[in-house]
PDB file of all heavy atoms in Angstrom:
ATOM      1  N   LEU A 136     107.012 156.713  76.594  1.00  0.00           N
ATOM      2  CA  LEU A 136     106.686 155.455  75.935  1.00  0.00           C
ATOM      3  C   LEU A 136     107.484 155.434  74.682  1.00  0.00           C
ATOM      4  O   LEU A 136     107.077 155.758  73.549  1.00  0.00           O
ATOM      5  CB  LEU A 136     105.169 155.303  75.612  1.00  0.00           C
ATOM      6  CG  LEU A 136     104.269 155.236  76.872  1.00  0.00           C
ATOM      7  CD1 LEU A 136     102.780 155.398  76.457  1.00  0.00           C
ATOM      8  CD2 LEU A 136     104.494 153.876  77.559  1.00  0.00           C
ATOM      9  N   ASP A 137     108.747 155.020  74.804  1.00  0.00           N
ATOM     10  CA  ASP A 137     109.670 155.127  73.706  1.00  0.00           C
ATOM     11  C   ASP A 137     110.087 153.742  73.150  1.00  0.00           C
ATOM     12  O   ASP A 137     110.894 153.603  72.277  1.00  0.00           O
ATOM     13  CB  ASP A 137     110.969 155.907  74.037  1.00  0.00           C
ATOM     14  CG  ASP A 137     111.604 155.404  75.278  1.00  0.00           C
ATOM     15  OD1 ASP A 137     111.130 154.356  75.837  1.00  0.00           O
ATOM     16  OD2 ASP A 137     112.626 155.966  75.670  1.00  0.00           O
ATOM     17  N   LEU A 138     109.488 152.639  73.657  1.00  0.00           N
ATOM     18  CA  LEU A 138     109.772 151.300  73.213  1.00  0.00           C
ATOM     19  C   LEU A 138     108.475 150.546  72.864  1.00  0.00           C
ATOM     20  O   LEU A 138     107.418 150.992  73.345  1.00  0.00           O
ATOM     21  CB  LEU A 138     110.524 150.513  74.253  1.00  0.00           C
ATOM     22  CG  LEU A 138     111.909 151.038  74.681  1.00  0.00           C
ATOM     23  CD1 LEU A 138     112.448 150.229  75.841  1.00  0.00           C
ATOM     24  CD2 LEU A 138     112.896 150.959  73.452  1.00  0.00           C
ATOM     25  N   PHE A 139     108.578 149.545  72.051  1.00  0.00           N
ATOM     26  CA  PHE A 139     107.426 148.761  71.653  1.00  0.00           C
ATOM     27  C   PHE A 139     107.697 147.279  71.937  1.00  0.00           C
ATOM     28  O   PHE A 139     108.684 146.738  71.523  1.00  0.00           O
ATOM     29  CB  PHE A 139     107.088 148.937  70.171  1.00  0.00           C
ATOM     30  CG  PHE A 139     105.805 148.286  69.739  1.00  0.00           C
ATOM     31  CD1 PHE A 139     104.611 148.853  69.963  1.00  0.00           C
ATOM     32  CD2 PHE A 139     105.834 147.048  69.145  1.00  0.00           C
ATOM     33  CE1 PHE A 139     103.414 148.231  69.570  1.00  0.00           C
ATOM     34  CE2 PHE A 139     104.673 146.388  68.803  1.00  0.00           C
ATOM     35  CZ  PHE A 139     103.439 147.015  68.999  1.00  0.00           C
ATOM     36  N   CYS A 140     106.784 146.712  72.659  1.00  0.00           N
ATOM     37  CA  CYS A 140     106.914 145.240  73.037  1.00  0.00           C
ATOM     38  C   CYS A 140     106.175 144.428  72.009  1.00  0.00           C
ATOM     39  O   CYS A 140     104.969 144.494  71.868  1.00  0.00           O
ATOM     40  CB  CYS A 140     106.338 144.983  74.424  1.00  0.00           C
ATOM     41  SG  CYS A 140     106.348 143.207  74.831  1.00  0.00           S
ATOM     42  N   ARG A 141     106.952 143.636  71.212  1.00  0.00           N
ATOM     43  CA  ARG A 141     106.397 142.877  70.133  1.00  0.00           C
ATOM     44  C   ARG A 141     105.588 141.673  70.644  1.00  0.00           C
ATOM     45  O   ARG A 141     104.723 141.157  70.033  1.00  0.00           O
ATOM     46  CB  ARG A 141     107.471 142.446  69.110  1.00  0.00           C
ATOM     47  CG  ARG A 141     107.946 143.599  68.294  1.00  0.00           C
ATOM     48  CD  ARG A 141     109.023 143.214  67.336  1.00  0.00           C
ATOM     49  NE  ARG A 141     109.375 144.293  66.427  1.00  0.00           N
ATOM     50  CZ  ARG A 141     110.326 144.289  65.558  1.00  0.00           C
ATOM     51  NH1 ARG A 141     111.206 143.260  65.560  1.00  0.00           N
ATOM     52  NH2 ARG A 141     110.553 145.303  64.749  1.00  0.00           N
ATOM     53  N   ASP A 142     106.031 141.163  71.840  1.00  0.00           N
ATOM     54  CA  ASP A 142     105.316 140.049  72.423  1.00  0.00           C
ATOM     55  C   ASP A 142     103.880 140.409  72.856  1.00  0.00           C
ATOM     56  O   ASP A 142     102.944 139.680  72.571  1.00  0.00           O
ATOM     57  CB  ASP A 142     106.130 139.495  73.618  1.00  0.00           C
ATOM     58  CG  ASP A 142     107.432 138.833  73.213  1.00  0.00           C
ATOM     59  OD1 ASP A 142     107.596 138.538  72.011  1.00  0.00           O
ATOM     60  OD2 ASP A 142     108.310 138.708  74.048  1.00  0.00           O
ATOM     61  N   ASP A 143     103.791 141.577  73.487  1.00  0.00           N
ATOM     62  CA  ASP A 143     102.450 141.985  73.996  1.00  0.00           C
ATOM     63  C   ASP A 143     101.752 143.009  73.103  1.00  0.00           C
ATOM     64  O   ASP A 143     100.749 143.475  73.374  1.00  0.00           O
ATOM     65  CB  ASP A 143     102.588 142.521  75.390  1.00  0.00           C
ATOM     66  CG  ASP A 143     103.062 141.477  76.387  1.00  0.00           C
ATOM     67  OD1 ASP A 143     102.776 140.300  76.120  1.00  0.00           O
ATOM     68  OD2 ASP A 143     103.689 141.872  77.428  1.00  0.00           O
ATOM     69  N   GLN A 144     102.517 143.439  72.007  1.00  0.00           N
ATOM     70  CA  GLN A 144     101.985 144.428  71.041  1.00  0.00           C
ATOM     71  C   GLN A 144     101.484 145.677  71.745  1.00  0.00           C
ATOM     72  O   GLN A 144     100.316 146.095  71.649  1.00  0.00           O
ATOM     73  CB  GLN A 144     100.836 143.762  70.269  1.00  0.00           C
ATOM     74  CG  GLN A 144     101.280 142.688  69.285  1.00  0.00           C
ATOM     75  CD  GLN A 144     102.068 143.245  68.143  1.00  0.00           C
ATOM     76  OE1 GLN A 144     101.607 144.139  67.357  1.00  0.00           O
ATOM     77  NE2 GLN A 144     103.351 142.827  68.089  1.00  0.00           N
ATOM     78  N   THR A 145     102.389 146.273  72.528  1.00  0.00           N
ATOM     79  CA  THR A 145     101.979 147.449  73.199  1.00  0.00           C
ATOM     80  C   THR A 145     103.268 148.360  73.415  1.00  0.00           C
ATOM     81  O   THR A 145     104.362 147.875  73.412  1.00  0.00           O
ATOM     82  CB  THR A 145     101.378 147.156  74.605  1.00  0.00           C
ATOM     83  OG1 THR A 145     100.951 148.386  75.211  1.00  0.00           O
ATOM     84  CG2 THR A 145     102.390 146.538  75.559  1.00  0.00           C
ATOM     85  N   CYS A 146     103.027 149.677  73.586  1.00  0.00           N
ATOM     86  CA  CYS A 146     104.097 150.619  73.842  1.00  0.00           C
ATOM     87  C   CYS A 146     104.470 150.605  75.356  1.00  0.00           C
ATOM     88  O   CYS A 146     103.604 150.592  76.180  1.00  0.00           O
ATOM     89  CB  CYS A 146     103.699 152.019  73.345  1.00  0.00           C
ATOM     90  SG  CYS A 146     103.304 152.117  71.581  1.00  0.00           S
ATOM     91  N   VAL A 147     105.767 150.634  75.603  1.00  0.00           N
ATOM     92  CA  VAL A 147     106.279 150.628  76.952  1.00  0.00           C
ATOM     93  C   VAL A 147     107.386 151.628  77.148  1.00  0.00           C
ATOM     94  O   VAL A 147     108.012 152.128  76.181  1.00  0.00           O
ATOM     95  CB  VAL A 147     106.827 149.190  77.317  1.00  0.00           C
ATOM     96  CG1 VAL A 147     105.677 148.134  77.222  1.00  0.00           C
ATOM     97  CG2 VAL A 147     107.950 148.822  76.416  1.00  0.00           C
ATOM     98  N   CYS A 148     107.700 151.837  78.413  1.00  0.00           N
ATOM     99  CA  CYS A 148     108.885 152.737  78.723  1.00  0.00           C
ATOM    100  C   CYS A 148     110.063 151.883  79.026  1.00  0.00           C
ATOM    101  O   CYS A 148     110.008 150.701  79.078  1.00  0.00           O
ATOM    102  CB  CYS A 148     108.487 153.627  79.886  1.00  0.00           C
ATOM    103  SG  CYS A 148     108.454 152.782  81.494  1.00  0.00           S
ATOM    104  N   SER A 149     111.237 152.566  79.278  1.00  0.00           N
ATOM    105  CA  SER A 149     112.434 151.831  79.511  1.00  0.00           C
ATOM    106  C   SER A 149     112.416 150.997  80.788  1.00  0.00           C
ATOM    107  O   SER A 149     113.040 149.982  80.887  1.00  0.00           O
ATOM    108  CB  SER A 149     113.654 152.838  79.613  1.00  0.00           C
ATOM    109  OG  SER A 149     113.414 153.799  80.625  1.00  0.00           O
ATOM    110  N   ILE A 150     111.685 151.456  81.773  1.00  0.00           N
ATOM    111  CA  ILE A 150     111.601 150.695  83.062  1.00  0.00           C
ATOM    112  C   ILE A 150     110.696 149.472  82.800  1.00  0.00           C
ATOM    113  O   ILE A 150     110.977 148.362  83.365  1.00  0.00           O
ATOM    114  CB  ILE A 150     111.044 151.496  84.185  1.00  0.00           C
ATOM    115  CG1 ILE A 150     112.014 152.700  84.450  1.00  0.00           C
ATOM    116  CG2 ILE A 150     110.802 150.709  85.438  1.00  0.00           C
ATOM    117  CD1 ILE A 150     111.557 153.635  85.581  1.00  0.00           C
ATOM    118  N   CYS A 151     109.653 149.631  82.080  1.00  0.00           N
ATOM    119  CA  CYS A 151     108.738 148.466  81.762  1.00  0.00           C
ATOM    120  C   CYS A 151     109.524 147.373  81.032  1.00  0.00           C
ATOM    121  O   CYS A 151     109.268 146.146  81.323  1.00  0.00           O
ATOM    122  CB  CYS A 151     107.570 148.948  80.800  1.00  0.00           C
ATOM    123  SG  CYS A 151     106.424 149.952  81.543  1.00  0.00           S
ATOM    124  N   SER A 152     110.489 147.732  80.216  1.00  0.00           N
ATOM    125  CA  SER A 152     111.224 146.765  79.471  1.00  0.00           C
ATOM    126  C   SER A 152     112.164 145.858  80.258  1.00  0.00           C
ATOM    127  O   SER A 152     112.577 144.775  79.855  1.00  0.00           O
ATOM    128  CB  SER A 152     112.075 147.529  78.393  1.00  0.00           C
ATOM    129  OG  SER A 152     113.075 148.231  78.940  1.00  0.00           O
ATOM    130  N   VAL A 153     112.450 146.380  81.548  1.00  0.00           N
ATOM    131  CA  VAL A 153     113.327 145.511  82.368  1.00  0.00           C
ATOM    132  C   VAL A 153     112.539 144.960  83.599  1.00  0.00           C
ATOM    133  O   VAL A 153     113.123 144.353  84.506  1.00  0.00           O
ATOM    134  CB  VAL A 153     114.548 146.336  82.882  1.00  0.00           C
ATOM    135  CG1 VAL A 153     115.437 146.749  81.669  1.00  0.00           C
ATOM    136  CG2 VAL A 153     114.126 147.540  83.688  1.00  0.00           C
ATOM    137  N   THR A 154     111.263 145.252  83.582  1.00  0.00           N
ATOM    138  CA  THR A 154     110.397 144.783  84.769  1.00  0.00           C
ATOM    139  C   THR A 154     109.311 143.873  84.234  1.00  0.00           C
ATOM    140  O   THR A 154     109.508 142.622  83.969  1.00  0.00           O
ATOM    141  CB  THR A 154     109.841 145.875  85.595  1.00  0.00           C
ATOM    142  OG1 THR A 154     109.093 146.796  84.682  1.00  0.00           O
ATOM    143  CG2 THR A 154     110.975 146.726  86.280  1.00  0.00           C
ATOM    144  N   ASP A 155     108.160 144.407  83.894  1.00  0.00           N
ATOM    145  CA  ASP A 155     106.984 143.685  83.464  1.00  0.00           C
ATOM    146  C   ASP A 155     107.230 143.005  82.076  1.00  0.00           C
ATOM    147  O   ASP A 155     106.641 141.977  81.819  1.00  0.00           O
ATOM    148  CB  ASP A 155     105.764 144.609  83.301  1.00  0.00           C
ATOM    149  CG  ASP A 155     105.375 145.150  84.694  1.00  0.00           C
ATOM    150  OD1 ASP A 155     105.773 144.654  85.678  1.00  0.00           O
ATOM    151  OD2 ASP A 155     104.619 146.157  84.681  1.00  0.00           O
ATOM    152  N   HIS A 156     108.134 143.500  81.319  1.00  0.00           N
ATOM    153  CA  HIS A 156     108.351 143.033  79.931  1.00  0.00           C
ATOM    154  C   HIS A 156     109.797 142.467  79.806  1.00  0.00           C
ATOM    155  O   HIS A 156     110.367 142.469  78.686  1.00  0.00           O
ATOM    156  CB  HIS A 156     108.106 144.089  78.893  1.00  0.00           C
ATOM    157  CG  HIS A 156     106.651 144.531  78.915  1.00  0.00           C
ATOM    158  ND1 HIS A 156     105.736 144.080  78.075  1.00  0.00           N
ATOM    159  CD2 HIS A 156     106.059 145.519  79.642  1.00  0.00           C
ATOM    160  CE1 HIS A 156     104.575 144.583  78.272  1.00  0.00           C
ATOM    161  NE2 HIS A 156     104.713 145.545  79.232  1.00  0.00           N
ATOM    162  N   LYS A 157     110.368 142.113  80.928  1.00  0.00           N
ATOM    163  CA  LYS A 157     111.744 141.531  80.863  1.00  0.00           C
ATOM    164  C   LYS A 157     111.754 140.236  80.006  1.00  0.00           C
ATOM    165  O   LYS A 157     110.826 139.463  80.034  1.00  0.00           O
ATOM    166  CB  LYS A 157     112.134 141.224  82.377  1.00  0.00           C
ATOM    167  CG  LYS A 157     113.561 140.789  82.403  1.00  0.00           C
ATOM    168  CD  LYS A 157     113.952 140.482  83.857  1.00  0.00           C
ATOM    169  CE  LYS A 157     115.442 139.973  84.005  1.00  0.00           C
ATOM    170  NZ  LYS A 157     115.803 139.716  85.419  1.00  0.00           N
ATOM    171  N   ASN A 158     112.790 140.212  79.238  1.00  0.00           N
ATOM    172  CA  ASN A 158     112.995 139.034  78.337  1.00  0.00           C
ATOM    173  C   ASN A 158     112.017 139.065  77.104  1.00  0.00           C
ATOM    174  O   ASN A 158     111.885 138.076  76.371  1.00  0.00           O
ATOM    175  CB  ASN A 158     112.893 137.698  79.030  1.00  0.00           C
ATOM    176  CG  ASN A 158     113.987 137.536  80.128  1.00  0.00           C
ATOM    177  OD1 ASN A 158     115.121 137.991  79.947  1.00  0.00           O
ATOM    178  ND2 ASN A 158     113.604 136.856  81.188  1.00  0.00           N
ATOM    179  N   HIS A 159     111.253 140.142  76.982  1.00  0.00           N
ATOM    180  CA  HIS A 159     110.369 140.295  75.835  1.00  0.00           C
ATOM    181  C   HIS A 159     111.158 140.915  74.675  1.00  0.00           C
ATOM    182  O   HIS A 159     112.190 141.543  74.937  1.00  0.00           O
ATOM    183  CB  HIS A 159     109.140 141.147  76.178  1.00  0.00           C
ATOM    184  CG  HIS A 159     108.146 140.488  77.003  1.00  0.00           C
ATOM    185  ND1 HIS A 159     106.881 140.962  77.243  1.00  0.00           N
ATOM    186  CD2 HIS A 159     108.220 139.258  77.740  1.00  0.00           C
ATOM    187  CE1 HIS A 159     106.215 140.154  78.023  1.00  0.00           C
ATOM    188  NE2 HIS A 159     107.020 139.128  78.390  1.00  0.00           N
ATOM    189  N   ASN A 160     110.626 140.742  73.533  1.00  0.00           N
ATOM    190  CA  ASN A 160     111.275 141.356  72.336  1.00  0.00           C
ATOM    191  C   ASN A 160     110.743 142.798  72.193  1.00  0.00           C
ATOM    192  O   ASN A 160     109.696 143.078  71.757  1.00  0.00           O
ATOM    193  CB  ASN A 160     110.857 140.589  71.127  1.00  0.00           C
ATOM    194  CG  ASN A 160     111.465 141.078  69.836  1.00  0.00           C
ATOM    195  OD1 ASN A 160     112.379 141.938  69.863  1.00  0.00           O
ATOM    196  ND2 ASN A 160     111.036 140.680  68.671  1.00  0.00           N
ATOM    197  N   THR A 161     111.673 143.755  72.675  1.00  0.00           N
ATOM    198  CA  THR A 161     111.257 145.153  72.612  1.00  0.00           C
ATOM    199  C   THR A 161     112.152 145.881  71.597  1.00  0.00           C
ATOM    200  O   THR A 161     113.391 145.593  71.597  1.00  0.00           O
ATOM    201  CB  THR A 161     111.347 145.831  73.994  1.00  0.00           C
ATOM    202  OG1 THR A 161     112.648 145.589  74.466  1.00  0.00           O
ATOM    203  CG2 THR A 161     110.329 145.249  74.881  1.00  0.00           C
ATOM    204  N   VAL A 162     111.616 146.844  70.891  1.00  0.00           N
ATOM    205  CA  VAL A 162     112.435 147.582  69.969  1.00  0.00           C
ATOM    206  C   VAL A 162     111.995 149.064  70.088  1.00  0.00           C
ATOM    207  O   VAL A 162     110.998 149.419  70.735  1.00  0.00           O
ATOM    208  CB  VAL A 162     112.120 147.161  68.431  1.00  0.00           C
ATOM    209  CG1 VAL A 162     112.647 145.724  68.241  1.00  0.00           C
ATOM    210  CG2 VAL A 162     110.680 147.323  68.156  1.00  0.00           C
ATOM    211  N   ALA A 163     112.804 149.907  69.463  1.00  0.00           N
ATOM    212  CA  ALA A 163     112.488 151.337  69.513  1.00  0.00           C
ATOM    213  C   ALA A 163     111.159 151.582  68.819  1.00  0.00           C
ATOM    214  O   ALA A 163     110.845 150.913  67.825  1.00  0.00           O
ATOM    215  CB  ALA A 163     113.618 152.162  68.854  1.00  0.00           C
ATOM    216  N   ILE A 164     110.430 152.556  69.341  1.00  0.00           N
ATOM    217  CA  ILE A 164     109.128 152.813  68.826  1.00  0.00           C
ATOM    218  C   ILE A 164     109.163 153.292  67.340  1.00  0.00           C
ATOM    219  O   ILE A 164     108.290 152.996  66.517  1.00  0.00           O
ATOM    220  CB  ILE A 164     108.361 153.833  69.669  1.00  0.00           C
ATOM    221  CG1 ILE A 164     106.879 153.902  69.383  1.00  0.00           C
ATOM    222  CG2 ILE A 164     108.970 155.210  69.538  1.00  0.00           C
ATOM    223  CD1 ILE A 164     106.104 154.716  70.343  1.00  0.00           C
ATOM    224  N   GLU A 165     110.316 154.002  66.997  1.00  0.00           N
ATOM    225  CA  GLU A 165     110.456 154.450  65.624  1.00  0.00           C
ATOM    226  C   GLU A 165     110.680 153.262  64.675  1.00  0.00           C
ATOM    227  O   GLU A 165     110.142 153.271  63.582  1.00  0.00           O
ATOM    228  CB  GLU A 165     111.613 155.330  65.564  1.00  0.00           C
ATOM    229  CG  GLU A 165     111.444 156.699  66.284  1.00  0.00           C
ATOM    230  CD  GLU A 165     111.784 156.674  67.743  1.00  0.00           C
ATOM    231  OE1 GLU A 165     112.150 155.524  68.237  1.00  0.00           O
ATOM    232  OE2 GLU A 165     111.722 157.703  68.421  1.00  0.00           O
ATOM    233  N   GLU A 166     111.424 152.279  65.185  1.00  0.00           N
ATOM    234  CA  GLU A 166     111.704 151.082  64.305  1.00  0.00           C
ATOM    235  C   GLU A 166     110.362 150.327  64.043  1.00  0.00           C
ATOM    236  O   GLU A 166     110.127 149.935  62.899  1.00  0.00           O
ATOM    237  CB  GLU A 166     112.694 150.160  65.014  1.00  0.00           C
ATOM    238  CG  GLU A 166     112.995 148.926  64.224  1.00  0.00           C
ATOM    239  CD  GLU A 166     113.955 148.011  65.013  1.00  0.00           C
ATOM    240  OE1 GLU A 166     114.640 148.468  65.962  1.00  0.00           O
ATOM    241  OE2 GLU A 166     114.020 146.808  64.640  1.00  0.00           O
ATOM    242  N   GLU A 167     109.602 150.144  65.149  1.00  0.00           N
ATOM    243  CA  GLU A 167     108.360 149.350  64.929  1.00  0.00           C
ATOM    244  C   GLU A 167     107.352 150.167  64.040  1.00  0.00           C
ATOM    245  O   GLU A 167     106.666 149.558  63.236  1.00  0.00           O
ATOM    246  CB  GLU A 167     107.737 149.062  66.302  1.00  0.00           C
ATOM    247  CG  GLU A 167     106.465 148.273  66.242  1.00  0.00           C
ATOM    248  CD  GLU A 167     106.691 146.802  65.801  1.00  0.00           C
ATOM    249  OE1 GLU A 167     107.791 146.393  65.797  1.00  0.00           O
ATOM    250  OE2 GLU A 167     105.717 146.156  65.449  1.00  0.00           O
ATOM    251  N   SER A 168     107.391 151.460  64.231  1.00  0.00           N
ATOM    252  CA  SER A 168     106.473 152.268  63.467  1.00  0.00           C
ATOM    253  C   SER A 168     106.769 152.214  61.936  1.00  0.00           C
ATOM    254  O   SER A 168     105.867 152.080  61.137  1.00  0.00           O
ATOM    255  CB  SER A 168     106.540 153.720  63.932  1.00  0.00           C
ATOM    256  OG  SER A 168     105.729 154.591  63.128  1.00  0.00           O
TER     257      SER A 168
END
């Protein structure tokens, strides 16, 4: 879980970011933290 979805306010993995969270605003977990 190395990414954070700002639209859904949850931590996601790289595959999530291109599937369930496609077109969502995702950033590195370190940046959001």
Side-chain angles (χ1 to χ4, degrees):
L136 294 169
D137 53 1
L138 297 172
F139 186 82
C140 176
R141 287 178 171 172
D142 292 342
D143 296 334
Q144 291 292 298
T145 186
C146 297
V147 299
C148 72
S149 57
I150 297 179
C151 289
S152 67
V153 296
T154 54
D155 298 343
H156 297 266
K157 185 179 181 180
N158 298 324
H159 286 192
N160 182 13
T161 56
V162 295
I164 195 172
E165 293 84 359
E166 179 183 341
E167 183 68 14
S168 177

